[in-house]
Amino acid sequence: MFVRRIAACSTRHLPPKRSIQRSICPRQFSSSGSEVVAPQSSNISVLSGIASELDRLAPRIDIRADQVKILYGPTEFYETLKTKIKRAEKRIYLSTLYIGKSEHELISCIRNALERSKKLKVSILTDALRGTRETPEPSCASLLSPLVVDFPDQVEVRMYHTPNLTGLRKRFIPRRINEGWGLQHMKLYGIDDEIILSGANLSSDYFSNRQDRYHVFSSKRVTNYFARVHQTMCSVSFLLVPNSPSDMYTLEWPKSNPLPSPLSDPQAYVNATTKLFVPIVSPITTSPLLNPLSSPSNRNTTFYPLLTLPRSISAELPALQSLLSTPLPPTSSYLFTAGYFNPHPSITASLLACSSATTSPSHPRGARGAILTASPWANGFYNSSGVSGMLPAAYTLLSRRFLKAARKAASSETNSEKQAGGIELREWRRGTVGTPGGWTYHAKGLWITLPSSPSRASSAMSPGLGPSITLLGSSNYTTRSYALDTEASAILLTSDPGLQKQLREEQEGLLKYSKVVREEDLEGGERRVGIGVRVALWIVRLVGGSL
């Protein structure tokens, strides 16, 4: 078993002691001793250095760029998912937070595939808290139960329960907010030898007017890797057992599960789960090590899968810190996005440092950075009833605090630099939630664009050829994501112009509906945050929850 040592430079912000972490500290990569390096040579040096660091942190799978297809909207995601399910021959595995209780079309699609192919196996993993929240009314669990009844030899449904919500907490914390103590949050949609990695759940808004990211990998190795992740997570989750009538159910802990229930012995559950997953997350390559820019044309893209398990394994956080701590060539840029902007403290520090770090005497500033998040009118909790209705204002408060920190970080620089700050905050809005044509924003990720030529400086808004590096997946990059939820993510490194173009178009599609906001924009009027929101944030943290 490998153990990730926590670096002194970041210990105060990392998850609890039992978390498996690797140390990350700033590094320097150089392809020569000369200060003036051609962009392509410099880019090779940067990507090689990043790959070398990631090889120590996560498994590596070298793939072809033409095995990656980016989808740009929820309708395309839904139609692609249905098409692949209809053609499934061997296996379908779906890991998601929940399937919407009224998604009868999707269930019919799965049912038809099962009827067509008796060899087809379907495995579905959801979260137990979210999947049963509406019980005894219709729920995700009651929607899936008839599938198990009708195809008992072909379908299995599992529901993960966090080890963080037990005893008195589980008994007294209301269903509507108990998800703040941890969820099954991976979004893995595997069909035969293809997989869609996303941050989207399987419900009507994610299929119509909720913007996310969606990446199709036509790679058997990538699909098999996440199939192993999915099956292992199923083995540490409750089994959905139908009752009569067929839409009723119970959640049982099978004797075949290789560990105690998280409700009976949470710490033993965490220890056993960690032991099961360590071999899966250990850094191994599935093909000979290749330079990501000098590989043969059929292997010009490198894929690093990253997992996060509560109180256990955290591969994504050190990998993200590694990306942000890498000194980038002058005129590089990055775009970081999260629908719920409340980054882990160490990520906030890294984002700020990445935009102000010194890279060379002739280029004193670091990468130009942009942060993209949902405006309150694109937040899924906008106008919600109860405590959840306070969340858009809470995220406004957190955004304002981030801008304040950015201003302070630039306080020692010249006036012109202070105004730019090296980083900008943008809010995404497409109509207003709950009104005709209104969308919500749920995308998350990181894109890093390296310079394309000495004469053309890339910026967060005007990239050159396109990003060479992206982080994608289910994580919201919050303290909660790394301490309480299960997450599945990946980092892609590529030198392929076609894939870089896809990544650039993905960026541009998201930025199209955004505008820059400044600190003063978030301080008054309808953006003013009341004392009730501040108190609610304090209470959630006091009792061990997190946004």
Side-chain angles (χ1 to χ4, degrees):
M1 185 172 91
F2 71 93
V3 178
R4 296 179 184 164
R5 292 177 297 171
I6 300 176
C9 61
S10 57
T11 12
R12 77 175 64 176
H13 299 308
L14 292 176
K17 287 183 180 179
R18 296 194 59 85
S19 295
I20 297 179
Q21 299 281 346
R22 284 191 180 275
S23 60
I24 298 294
C25 289
R27 307 168 310 287
Q28 296 289 335
F29 301 117
S30 176
S31 56
S32 74
S34 171
E35 286 187 10
V36 181
V37 183
Q40 183 69 359
S41 173
S42 178
N43 291 353
I44 291 174
S45 176
V46 171
L47 284 181
S48 297
I50 290 172
S52 177
E53 182 63 41
L54 293 176
D55 284 341
R56 298 194 308 107
L57 297 174
R60 170 178 176 159
I61 306 174
D62 291 305
I63 61 176
R64 302 189 315 272
D66 63 9
Q67 293 177 297
V68 185
K69 181 181 180 182
I70 299 177
L71 310 178
Y72 299 110
T75 301
E76 186 182 14
F77 164 58
Y78 186 39
E79 293 303 319
T80 300
L81 180 64
K82 288 191 298 179
T83 297
K84 293 187 182 301
I85 288 174
K86 289 174 184 177
R87 297 173 180 172
E89 297 290 342
K90 300 176 297 181
R91 64 180 175 183
I92 297 173
Y93 65 87
L94 307 175
S95 299
T96 188
L97 175 59
Y98 68 99
I99 298 178
K101 60 186 179 184
S102 59
E103 294 308 314
H104 300 290
E105 182 183 42
L106 178 62
I107 298 303
S108 293
C109 191
I110 297 173
R111 180 180 293 275
N112 291 339
L114 288 163
E115 291 173 344
R116 180 179 51 80
S117 175
K118 299 303 179 183
K119 295 181 180 180
L120 179 63
K121 301 293 184 181
V122 175
S123 176
I124 299 173
L125 171 69
T126 75
D127 182 74
L129 298 176
R130 177 64 67 90
T132 62
R133 187 170 70 185
E134 297 91 345
T135 302
E137 299 300 319
S139 65
C140 169
S142 65
L143 177 75
L144 295 173
S145 184
L147 270 183
V148 181
V149 172
D150 296 341
F151 303 95
D153 298 324
Q154 292 177 268
V155 177
E156 182 181 77
V157 176
R158 294 282 187 144
M159 292 195 164
Y160 167 91
H161 194 293
T162 177
N164 299 317
L165 188 71
T166 60
L168 293 178
R169 279 182 182 171
K170 183 171 177 63
R171 182 177 178 182
F172 292 109
I173 294 175
R175 286 184 180 182
R176 182 65 178 167
I177 64 172
N178 63 8
E179 296 162 16
W181 279 257
L183 295 168
Q184 192 307 105
H185 203 248
M186 300 188 300
K187 317 295 166 60
L188 307 172
Y189 306 127
I191 300 98
D192 289 339
D193 293 332
E194 295 183 300
I195 184 170
I196 302 174
L197 294 184
S198 182
N201 294 304
L202 302 179
S203 64
S204 58
D205 52 345
Y206 289 94
F207 300 152
S208 57
N209 59 0
R210 189 161 173 79
Q211 182 65 54
D212 216 299
R213 297 179 73 197
Y214 329 87
H215 299 80
V216 183
F217 294 89
S218 300
S219 165
K220 185 175 182 179
R221 289 181 296 165
V222 171
T223 308
N224 283 347
Y225 178 87
F226 282 114
R228 186 181 176 195
V229 171
H230 171 91
Q231 290 299 336
T232 304
M233 190 61 72
C234 285
S235 75
V236 299
S237 299
F238 285 89
L239 178 69
L240 182 90
V241 179
N243 293 335
S244 183
S246 64
D247 62 346
M248 299 302 291
Y249 63 88
T250 57
L251 295 183
E252 297 183 359
W253 192 256
K255 292 181 179 179
S256 59
N257 281 11
L259 71 177
S261 159
L263 300 182
S264 63
D265 193 337
Q267 191 55 59
Y269 173 87
V270 169
N271 294 342
T273 300
T274 303
K275 188 175 181 180
L276 288 171
F277 273 95
V278 162
I280 298 176
V281 301
S282 295
I284 344 176
T285 57
T286 62
S287 62
L289 290 180
L290 298 170
N291 184 302
L293 275 185
S294 63
S295 303
S297 59
N298 64 342
R299 287 289 184 272
N300 53 11
T301 300
T302 305
F303 180 96
Y304 293 96
L306 305 168
L307 296 183
T308 300
L309 302 180
R311 295 161 54 184
S312 175
I313 290 169
S314 181
E316 181 187 84
L317 181 58
L320 177 52
Q321 288 177 298
S322 176
L323 291 181
L324 294 175
S325 65
T326 300
L328 299 174
T331 71
S332 298
S333 66
Y334 72 81
L335 173 65
F336 177 84
T337 190
Y340 308 120
F341 187 61
N342 180 25
H344 188 283
S346 65
I347 294 176
T348 297
S350 296
L351 288 169
L352 295 172
C354 185
S355 293
S356 60
T358 297
T359 56
S360 75
S362 57
H363 297 86
R365 292 205 58 79
R368 291 288 301 175
I371 309 296
L372 177 62
T373 189
S375 81
W377 300 275
N379 187 298
F381 296 101
Y382 180 72
N383 272 348
S384 292
S385 59
V387 175
S388 60
M390 296 182 180
L391 289 175
Y395 289 116
T396 290
L397 177 62
L398 295 169
S399 293
R400 195 171 81 203
R401 288 175 179 173
F402 176 82
L403 287 175
K404 183 177 180 180
R407 172 169 52 81
K408 288 184 176 180
S411 61
S412 62
E413 300 171 358
T414 67
N415 289 334
S416 60
E417 286 174 326
K418 284 182 186 179
Q419 186 175 356
I423 193 168
E424 64 183 19
L425 179 68
R426 305 183 69 89
E427 286 189 342
W428 190 97
R429 182 178 182 180
R430 190 173 177 181
T432 299
V433 180
T435 65
W439 285 49
T440 54
Y441 186 76
H442 197 247
K444 46 272 217 177
L446 173 71
W447 300 256
I448 297 177
T449 303
L450 303 177
S452 57
S453 70
S455 60
R456 180 173 179 180
S458 297
S459 72
M461 290 298 296
S462 303
L465 183 63
S468 300
I469 304 159
T470 191
L471 170 64
L472 56 100
S474 65
S475 175
N476 287 312
Y477 315 118
T478 62
T479 298
R480 165 180 166 167
S481 296
Y482 298 123
L484 301 177
D485 294 343
T486 67
E487 306 283 4
S489 306
I491 290 174
L492 273 184
L493 307 181
T494 187
S495 62
D496 181 78
L499 183 50
Q500 289 173 350
K501 181 175 181 289
Q502 284 193 73
L503 290 167
R504 186 188 72 212
E505 291 171 349
E506 181 185 40
Q507 271 193 136
E508 291 171 346
L510 297 177
L511 289 168
K512 176 182 177 181
Y513 295 98
S514 72
K515 70 174 185 178
V516 176
V517 292
R518 297 174 176 80
E519 197 174 345
E520 56 268 26
D521 298 328
L522 305 178
E523 290 179 340
E526 58 187 343
R527 302 303 298 271
R528 185 176 178 274
V529 178
I531 188 65
V533 172
R534 299 170 190 267
V535 170
L537 273 174
W538 176 77
I539 291 174
V540 167
R541 288 168 178 163
L542 181 68
V543 295
S546 183
L547 294 183

